[in-house]
């Protein structure tokens, strides 16, 4: 099934902006939906409507959304590659519209649970597709900034939902929570409209034998004729990479973890692990439950807890500005490692400062209040560090580490880790906050510390490499040994040879020899430029 395409945005820069806006608005919804329940679960009318749920039931109501998103990833795994990127986004918005309508009209626990699950399915399809689509339609030296702008807009959505919740509290009654939920649909309608005007991913088209259509997309996006050097070079590189990936025969879904020439299985596991780190650092304790933590752990009033909770979420946005502008310079590995260290320290200090309040026999009430209040600062620090590192990097890294022949399925597997572990954290957090209190934060401190050696020893640097060049980090002919993991990322440079000679090389030497030669030429040119500079 092909989704209709209308020439709404033309060619070149306008089309590139439309593609980026579509992806960013889709992620505003993602953030809005994640944040909107943080203010709702403390609403008195909401609690009464759903029979005053206990902390465990509340955790299930909130976290079943993540199970739905996990199910959405499974659907993307099964049908995503057949449907294509645009149709997947459109289908995702349909699920979300149905789920939002059911949530806003809920009057029983059963209905709210089903509604949250349905909305989650749409979000799972969306988050498995949008970063992959964006990464396949941008230049290598801009990919990090453009894809990381999507998690930046998650922050925008979270902040909007927090303060919308706060503003609606003054209205009172069921309107105070039904209207914020219903407003999710606003972003869906915008994305549905925009999808009709943006092109299909050229790499998906190439993978499905639609070479003429794919070449036309490249020409439209970069506003250049087919004989343009850049367009022609991308055309030949994508075909060469596809040929390399297909050497082991026709791809089947059970080959997802296969140890083939481009190490497909290992790369899928790396994608899964990166999203695991994104969730298990404790972010959802802060996103979903920071008002509860401030109220029950710190001891602030419900109103002040909600206001400060919204202010904490603004740090998510400000932190995400850093990778949006500088990620292609910073690389992927170093920010992830330093960020994990910063998150661990923040969690440790929150735990230490809160501990005074829960030891009345050792410390005075005044001391406990002052140290607990001081811990609020590190919720802000935590959110700032997360926004600038572990928030954006996994969303960029997952689609770019995967080979084209499994990119849709592999991305679905990687993003499924986000939602599966998101579900675990969200479900257990109310119990952790109520029972472990200050000790709960030490769990996330230890997890963040464990991520540092994991990234150092297992994850290669992919910054500024084209998606096709990433394949050659994993071949025998590519970089070998520890250097392939720790080498400084280089800017992507155009080949010195003209396109005609590149095409001749492909016919004469095949894929790996061709790619290795031009990667070496690129690196030599960069070294010469550095010396002359």
């Amino acid at each position: 099934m092909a989704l209709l395409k209308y020439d709404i945005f033309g060619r070149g820069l306008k089309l590139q902006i439309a593609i980026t806006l579509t992806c960013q608005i889709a992620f505003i919804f993602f953030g809005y939906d994640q944040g909107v329940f943080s203010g709702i679960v403390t609403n008195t009318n909401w609690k009464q409507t759903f029979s005053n749920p206990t902390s465990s039931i509340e955790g299930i109501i909130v976290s079943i959304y993540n199970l739905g998103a996990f199910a959405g990833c499974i659907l993307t795994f099964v049908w995503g590659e057949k449907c294509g990127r645009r149709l997947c986004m459109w289908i995702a918005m349909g699920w979300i519209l149905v789920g939002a309508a059911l949530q806003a009209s809920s009057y029983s626990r059963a209905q709210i649970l089903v509604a949250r699950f349905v909305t989650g399915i749409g979000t799972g399809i969306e988050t498995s597709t949008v970063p992959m689509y964006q990464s396949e339609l941008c230049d290598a030296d801009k990919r990090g900034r453009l894809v990381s702008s999507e998690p930046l807009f998650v922050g925008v959505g979270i902040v909007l939902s927090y303060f919308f919740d706060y503003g609606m509290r003054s209205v009172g009654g069921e309107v105070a929570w039904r209207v914020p939920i219903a407003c999710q649909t606003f972003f869906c309608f915008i994305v549905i409209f925009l999808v009709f005007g943006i092109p299909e991913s050229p790499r998906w088209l190439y993978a499905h034998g639609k070479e003429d259509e794919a070449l036309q997309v490249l020409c439209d996006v970069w506003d250049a004729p087919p004989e343009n050097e850049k367009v022609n070079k991308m055309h030949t590189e994508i075909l060469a990479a596809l040929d390399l990936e297909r050497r082991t025969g026709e791809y089947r879904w059970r080959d997802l973890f296969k140890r083939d020439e481009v190490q497909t299985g290992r790369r899928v596991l790396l994608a899964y692990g990166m999203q695991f780190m994104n969730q298990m650092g404790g972010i959802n304790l802060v996103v979903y439950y920071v008002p509860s933590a401030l109220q029950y752990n710190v001891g602030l009033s419900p109103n002040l807890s909600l206001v400060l909770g919204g202010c904490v979420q603004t740090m998510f946005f400000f932190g995400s500005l850093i990778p949006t502008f500088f990620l292609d310079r910073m690389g992927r590995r170093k920010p992830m490692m330093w960020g994990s260290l910063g998150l661990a320290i923040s969690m440790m200090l929150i735990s230490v400062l809160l501990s005074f309040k829960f030891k009345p026999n050792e410390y005075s009430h005044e001391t406990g209040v002052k140290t607990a209040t001081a811990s609020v600062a590190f919720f802000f620090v935590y959110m700032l560090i997360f926004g600038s590192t572990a928030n954006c990097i996994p969303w960029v890294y997952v689609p770019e580490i995967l080979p084209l022949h499994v990119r849709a399925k592999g991305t679905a597997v990687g993003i499924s880790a986000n939602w599966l572990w998101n579900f675990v954290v969200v479900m257990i957090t109310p119990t952790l906050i109520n029972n472990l209190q200050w000790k709960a934060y030490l769990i996330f401190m230890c997890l963040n510390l464990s991520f540092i050696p994991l990234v150092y020893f297992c994850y290669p640097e992919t910054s500024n490499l084209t998606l096709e060049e990433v394949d050659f980090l994993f071949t025998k002919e590519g970089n070998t040994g520890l250097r392939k993991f720790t080498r400084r990322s280089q800017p992507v440079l155009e080949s010195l040879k003209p396109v005609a000679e590149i095409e001749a090389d492909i016919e004469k030497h095949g894929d790996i020899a061709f790619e290795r030669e031009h990667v070496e030429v690129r690196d030599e040119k960069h070294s010469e430029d550095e010396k002359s500079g």
Side-chain angles (χ1 to χ4, degrees):
M1 177 182 174
L3 189 65
L4 295 175
K5 163 74 168 63
Y6 298 97
D7 188 13
I8 300 172
F9 305 109
R11 292 163 57 97
L13 182 60
K14 290 182 180 179
L15 185 56
Q16 292 173 27
I17 291 172
I19 291 167
T20 302
L21 279 177
T22 303
C23 297
Q24 290 171 343
I25 293 171
F27 265 62
I28 288 180
F29 158 78
F30 173 27
Y32 183 94
D33 195 74
Q34 279 204 306
V36 73
F37 252 71
S38 62
I40 286 173
V41 294
T42 59
N43 183 285
T44 303
N45 184 271
W46 184 87
K47 287 180 177 292
Q48 292 172 350
T49 301
F50 301 107
S51 306
N52 295 304
T54 62
S55 60
S56 58
I57 297 297
E58 178 186 310
I60 293 171
I61 291 173
V62 176
S63 62
I64 198 171
Y65 167 80
N66 302 304
L67 276 187
F70 180 75
C73 291
I74 294 174
L75 293 177
T76 308
F77 179 90
V78 177
W79 289 295
E81 189 61 32
K82 296 178 182 177
C83 293
R85 318 305 191 222
R86 292 173 65 240
L87 184 57
C88 278
M89 285 191 279
W90 196 80
I91 292 172
M93 294 303 113
W95 279 98
I96 290 166
L97 286 173
V98 173
L102 289 173
Q103 283 188 73
S105 60
S106 292
Y107 283 94
S108 67
R109 286 184 185 178
Q111 185 178 348
I112 193 70
L113 287 169
V114 171
R116 293 281 291 167
F117 188 84
V118 170
T119 308
I121 290 174
T123 307
I125 297 171
E126 171 211 331
T127 53
S128 298
T129 305
V130 171
M132 172 174 57
Y133 175 77
Q134 176 75 84
S135 68
E136 291 181 336
L137 273 162
C138 56
D139 292 312
D141 56 344
K142 298 176 183 176
R143 187 175 63 243
R145 284 171 284 168
L146 288 173
V147 179
S148 65
S149 72
E150 294 164 13
L152 165 69
F153 279 81
V154 173
V156 174
I158 290 173
V159 172
L160 283 174
S161 67
Y162 259 73
F163 286 107
F164 192 22
D165 280 345
Y166 181 73
M168 291 299 292
R169 281 174 66 92
S170 61
V171 177
E174 60 183 9
V175 174
W177 62 270
R178 293 190 188 276
V179 171
I181 290 176
C183 284
Q184 298 173 75
T185 58
F186 173 74
F187 304 107
C188 295
F189 285 120
I190 296 176
V191 173
I192 287 171
F193 167 75
L194 291 173
V195 165
F196 283 113
I198 58 177
E200 182 55 85
S201 161
R203 287 174 168 90
W204 182 86
L205 293 169
Y206 277 115
H208 288 78
K210 301 179 180 181
E211 294 182 13
D212 292 340
E213 189 177 347
L215 182 59
Q216 184 60 51
V217 171
L218 294 177
C219 294
D220 290 342
V221 173
W222 279 276
D223 195 15
E227 58 272 13
N228 176 269
E229 185 174 359
K230 179 177 181 178
V231 170
N232 206 343
K233 183 173 182 292
M234 293 176 70
H235 173 78
T236 55
E237 282 186 348
I238 294 170
L239 290 176
L242 274 172
D243 192 46
L244 169 65
E245 293 169 5
R246 288 169 174 167
R247 281 188 168 199
T248 55
E250 185 179 354
Y251 170 74
R252 292 163 297 184
W253 71 266
R254 60 178 177 270
D255 296 330
L256 189 67
F257 295 100
K258 188 174 182 180
R259 189 175 182 180
D260 54 20
E261 191 167 0
V262 291
Q263 299 187 47
T264 297
R266 177 184 164 201
R267 293 161 75 176
V268 172
L269 290 175
L270 289 176
Y272 187 92
M274 186 59 80
Q275 283 290 350
F276 172 85
M277 289 184 274
N278 175 269
Q279 288 302 308
M280 293 307 290
I283 180 58
N284 282 301
L285 183 154
V286 183
V287 170
Y288 282 98
Y289 296 113
V290 70
S292 300
L294 294 175
Q295 182 176 343
Y296 300 119
N297 290 166
V298 178
L300 303 179
S301 67
N303 188 64
L304 183 58
S305 296
L306 195 60
V307 173
L308 281 179
C311 293
V312 168
Q313 305 312 316
T314 63
M315 304 309 291
F316 188 105
F317 171 79
F318 290 121
S320 297
L321 288 172
I322 296 172
T324 300
F325 290 103
F326 302 110
L327 187 61
D328 292 306
R329 297 183 188 178
M330 298 188 304
R332 314 288 191 255
R333 288 163 39 81
K334 289 182 179 178
M336 196 68 188
M337 289 187 287
W338 282 109
S340 296
L341 178 62
L343 296 177
I345 292 172
S346 298
M347 283 293 181
M348 179 187 71
L349 291 173
I350 290 171
S351 179
V352 169
L353 291 169
L354 286 177
S355 67
F356 292 89
K357 182 174 182 289
F358 294 95
K359 297 178 180 179
N361 296 330
E362 299 178 35
Y363 304 99
S364 66
H365 175 73
E366 185 180 357
T367 300
V369 171
K370 287 181 179 179
T371 54
T373 303
S375 71
V376 175
F378 292 98
F379 282 103
F380 281 84
V381 173
Y382 177 94
M383 208 56 159
L384 181 67
I385 294 172
F386 184 85
S388 60
T389 56
N391 171 43
C392 296
I393 293 170
W395 293 99
V396 176
Y397 199 89
V398 167
E400 71 183 6
I401 197 66
L402 294 165
L404 178 56
H405 68 285
V406 298
R407 189 164 294 142
K409 286 182 169 60
T411 300
V413 170
I415 303 303
S416 74
N418 180 291
W419 294 112
L420 179 62
W421 296 104
N422 190 322
F423 166 75
V424 171
V425 173
V426 173
M427 187 175 68
I428 66 174
T429 293
T431 303
L432 289 179
I433 291 175
N434 290 335
N435 296 335
L436 294 182
Q437 299 167 341
W438 63 273
K439 296 176 185 176
Y441 303 91
L442 294 177
I443 297 172
F444 298 108
M445 177 198 75
C446 294
L447 285 167
N448 279 300
L449 289 175
S450 70
F451 298 154
I452 299 172
L454 181 62
V455 173
Y456 184 81
F457 289 109
C458 298
Y459 284 81
E461 181 60 72
T462 55
S463 178
N464 291 309
L465 297 174
T466 67
L467 295 177
E468 287 66 48
E469 287 172 331
V470 171
D471 275 352
F472 293 90
L473 290 176
F474 295 91
T475 61
K476 292 180 181 178
E477 290 78 6
N479 290 326
T480 58
L482 190 61
R483 182 174 175 271
K484 76 177 177 182
F485 298 104
T486 59
R487 70 182 182 86
R488 183 168 65 89
S489 59
Q490 304 289 339
V492 175
L493 302 175
E494 298 294 328
S495 171
L496 296 175
K497 288 190 176 184
V499 172
E501 291 186 34
I502 293 175
E503 292 173 342
D505 285 342
I506 294 175
E507 295 177 2
K508 183 178 178 181
H509 301 296
D511 322 307
I512 293 178
F514 153 72
E515 287 288 350
R516 180 177 55 182
E517 177 180 347
H518 292 292
V519 169
E520 288 172 353
V521 168
R522 186 196 64 215
D523 289 342
E524 287 173 9
K525 183 176 185 299
H526 182 74
S527 299
E528 291 173 3
D529 290 344
E530 282 189 336
K531 290 177 182 178
S532 62

